[in-house]
Amino acid sequence: MPPKAVAKTLPRRGGLFAGVADNLAALMIGLKYFVNPRRFSIYYPREYPELRQGYRGFIILNKAKCISCAACARICPSAAMKMIRVPVPHPKEPEKTVTKQFPVINYQRCIFCGYCVDICPTEALYHVNYHDIVYDNLAEMFWDLETFQKEPEYRTALEGTPIRLVIHEEYGLVKIPVRGAEENGG
């Protein structure tokens, strides 16, 4: 039988005045950074961080490459992928159909770890360099087979300018517009 849990109370340090002093100290730190002239914001969507090569954005399926191995669904740590059965034409006899399994994804659960992309033996799954989509309801976050094969519309690139965040020795983080953004339509 497991031991019974006992709740311990911590001794109070300095009473009420120490608690008030700690809270005031925390508020002063916040106020100091609030009035700091070197703070900055990214004015999203007019500006957005440049996403580098290898960024793990949305996952897309290339159905033609999928061999129905289900490795992606088995390795998913958040159980965001599952396999569904779909009738497809028989490869040798087109008038007959066979049932084949394909993955679908639930973006309510996906943590963008990329394990499914890494384990896919035929590279049927791949990441796109995008992650910003707004949904009207939770049901839209479940991508069926048809939606899972389409890359999402990359609206941010049409609305803003990509920026790169660089660490400057004197000023800290500094925003630098990415060169060629205007030439590429961004």
Side-chain angles (χ1 to χ4, degrees):
M1 192 163 183
K4 190 173 183 179
V6 178
K8 293 183 180 179
T9 58
L10 297 174
R12 295 185 81 174
R13 298 179 309 126
L16 181 65
F17 181 72
V20 171
D22 289 344
N23 282 332
L24 285 175
L27 288 171
M28 291 306 293
I29 290 171
L31 185 61
K32 172 183 149 187
Y33 287 108
F34 179 74
V35 297
N36 182 358
R38 293 192 181 126
R39 74 179 196 276
F40 72 95
S41 295
I42 295 177
Y43 301 108
Y44 187 81
R46 282 189 289 141
E47 298 174 337
Y48 60 93
E50 172 193 30
L51 303 176
R52 308 263 172 121
Q53 183 70 25
Y55 179 81
R56 293 187 306 216
F58 279 98
I59 301 161
I60 306 298
L61 170 70
N62 183 343
K63 185 178 171 184
K65 289 184 174 182
C66 184
I67 59 171
S68 300
C69 67
C72 54
R74 284 194 307 269
I75 200 168
C76 184
S78 60
M81 275 203 185
K82 71 176 192 173
M83 302 299 283
I84 60 167
R85 295 183 184 273
V86 177
V88 295
H90 191 278
K92 295 181 181 172
E93 301 174 26
E95 63 276 351
K96 293 184 179 179
T97 60
V98 293
T99 302
K100 191 173 176 184
Q101 290 186 336
F102 292 103
V104 292
I105 192 164
N106 182 350
Y107 277 114
Q108 293 176 36
R109 304 190 90 175
C110 183
I111 58 174
F112 299 93
C113 64
Y115 290 171
C116 56
V117 175
D118 294 340
I119 202 168
C120 185
T122 60
E123 298 180 353
L125 295 171
Y126 62 95
H127 286 285
V128 293
N129 202 15
Y130 188 60
H131 73 280
D132 294 339
I133 294 181
V134 177
Y135 295 98
D136 290 331
N137 56 50
L138 293 177
E140 292 178 4
M141 295 181 78
F142 180 82
W143 286 17
D144 60 5
L145 186 58
E146 187 177 320
T147 309
F148 196 25
Q149 296 177 68
K150 298 177 188 171
E151 291 189 13
E153 200 174 306
Y154 191 45
R155 292 188 180 152
T156 309
L158 301 174
E159 296 174 2
T161 303
I163 59 168
R164 183 175 295 138
L165 299 175
V166 179
I167 298 176
H168 188 275
E169 288 182 22
E170 184 179 346
Y171 300 114
L173 280 176
V174 178
K175 296 187 291 188
I176 299 174
V178 176
R179 292 183 184 163
E182 293 81 20
E183 300 163 5
N184 295 333

